[in-house]
Amino acid sequence: MTQPELAIRKRLESRALVVAMGGNLFMGAAGILASILSNSNAIMMDGLFSLIGFTSAVLGRRISQRIDAGPDKLRPFGYAADEAIFSTLRSLSLLGLVLFAITSALKSIYNYLNGLPPEPLSFAPMILYFSGIGLTCTLLWAFHHFTWRRIGRNSAILRLEAKAALFDGMITAAAGIGLAAIYYFREGPLALIAPIGDSVIVLLLCLLALGAYIREFKGGLGELAGLSASPATIATARRAVRATLIEDGGRIRDLSVTKLGRSHLVTVYYDPCRSVFAREIDRLNLDLIRDIRTVLAGADVLLIVSEHPRRWPDELAPVQSA
């Protein structure tokens, strides 16, 4: 990727995150105000999700500005890990909010079953809230998704923001439908649960969100732990470097691929089967980087000259003293 292309990508990503900051701040403030006016915990939870989205957009914008910086004295492996750390911590914070909301909803249901009904809902402010927030979430998702595709589909930050906007919109729509059903059928089929209908909706929405955020958290944690990339990505990397290594005349002993944020590190264990100069290895490494970046944008290659794969044979492995 050339410097002008990188500058354009950074500018588009930064603009999208500024839009995310403004949109989430508006939705968070609207959610808190509407929840106070309507006595709705479901709307309060929706507003808190948006405030977390605002905070994450602020942090994500700062991270995206330096994500492509190379190694330096402070960070000898570069700044790619910041994106994985961001995704992991954001998912963890959302999981914490979901668990808090589940606890609060269960407490309200328990109090109702013990003869302590919650305050009645006020439905008037909800119509304006759900209409405005639903439209805002749709516009945010479309804008983030379009920008993510335009910059090469390699920004985990924008992908997470787009998914968060889409999921927030789904939660808003589900909460609106559920509360509307309670309003229209509060004296009919839903009379029994109408007083705690708000808490029931919060509980169902949280259970729906739990699986998605657990997957995001496990994915970010796996990247930080250095787990191998998907088998499809490894196969793609092998195909990309095969021709250059065959032309060089050596033998590939092993290949591993790890993903960290938006970058991939391809480690090639290579036996040249002959005496070589350092400049030849450097030239081969640069050729491999050019090859791999045609299929994995921004990837890097670590070329290790060895006649062994990634793990030393047992008979050669250094013995650790007691």
Side-chain angles (χ1 to χ4, degrees):
M1 183 179 294
T2 64
Q3 287 300 322
E5 290 174 338
L6 183 61
I8 292 173
R9 184 184 66 77
K10 280 184 172 293
R11 186 169 66 251
L12 292 173
E13 188 175 35
S14 178
R15 184 182 65 181
L17 291 171
V18 169
V19 171
M21 289 162 53
N24 280 286
L25 187 60
F26 162 72
M27 292 191 297
I32 293 175
L33 178 61
S35 69
I36 294 173
L37 296 175
S38 63
N39 296 322
S40 171
N41 289 326
I43 293 179
M44 174 64 78
M45 187 193 73
D46 200 28
L48 291 177
F49 270 105
S50 297
L51 289 180
I52 289 180
F54 167 74
T55 305
S56 71
V58 173
L59 296 176
R61 185 168 181 265
R62 293 186 61 183
I63 290 172
S64 70
Q65 295 300 308
R66 64 180 185 181
I67 199 73
D68 296 305
D72 53 28
K73 290 183 179 180
L74 180 63
R75 303 286 292 272
F77 293 102
Y79 293 83
D82 289 0
E83 191 168 23
I85 294 172
F86 166 81
S87 300
T88 305
L89 292 181
R90 186 182 181 192
S91 301
L92 186 61
S93 66
L94 290 169
L95 278 173
L97 178 59
V98 166
L99 294 176
F100 171 77
I102 289 175
T103 303
S104 178
L106 290 175
K107 183 180 178 181
S108 296
I109 295 172
Y110 175 79
N111 290 337
Y112 173 71
L113 295 176
N114 283 274
L116 296 174
E119 294 184 23
L121 296 175
S122 175
F123 291 92
M126 294 183 183
I127 300 175
L128 183 61
Y129 172 79
F130 285 121
S131 301
I133 297 305
L135 178 61
T136 303
C137 287
T138 302
L139 292 175
L140 281 177
W141 170 79
F143 185 71
H144 293 332
H145 186 73
F146 171 77
T147 306
W148 174 70
R149 294 184 60 180
R150 187 176 176 185
I151 65 176
R153 306 188 183 197
N154 65 346
S155 170
I157 294 175
L158 269 189
R159 182 178 60 85
L160 190 59
E161 289 298 328
K163 289 178 66 176
L166 178 62
F167 192 76
D168 197 6
M170 292 171 61
I171 285 181
T172 300
I177 293 171
L179 290 172
I182 290 172
Y183 175 75
Y184 285 110
F185 300 107
R186 65 187 184 278
E187 296 178 356
L190 300 180
L192 184 63
I193 66 167
I196 53 168
D198 184 57
S199 296
V200 172
I201 291 171
V202 169
L203 189 60
L204 293 176
L205 292 178
C206 287
L207 292 177
L208 178 65
L210 202 58
Y213 292 132
I214 287 176
R215 286 192 297 272
E216 290 289 345
F217 175 69
K218 288 175 64 177
L221 203 60
E223 291 185 12
L224 294 174
L227 296 182
S228 291
S230 67
T233 302
I234 296 174
T236 298
R238 279 188 175 276
R239 288 193 295 269
V241 302
R242 183 180 296 137
T244 297
L245 294 177
I246 290 176
E247 183 181 352
D248 187 71
R251 181 180 301 174
I252 182 171
R253 295 296 183 179
D254 201 352
L255 181 144
S256 66
V257 183
T258 56
K259 181 178 180 299
L260 195 58
R262 70 189 62 179
S263 66
H264 291 82
L265 175 63
V266 181
T267 304
V268 179
Y269 300 81
Y270 180 66
D271 181 1
C273 300
R274 67 184 190 280
S275 299
V276 294
F277 291 103
R279 64 174 177 271
E280 295 179 78
I281 296 300
D282 290 342
R283 185 170 60 250
L284 177 60
N285 201 345
L286 291 171
D287 289 341
L288 293 176
I289 291 174
R290 281 189 285 270
D291 291 341
I292 206 68
R293 288 184 177 177
T294 62
V295 293
L296 296 174
D300 204 356
V301 176
L302 175 62
L303 179 61
I304 297 178
V305 176
S306 174
E307 59 181 2
H308 302 291
R310 71 189 74 180
R311 181 183 176 92
W312 290 110
D314 291 339
E315 63 272 15
L316 296 178
V319 178
Q320 185 175 358
S321 61

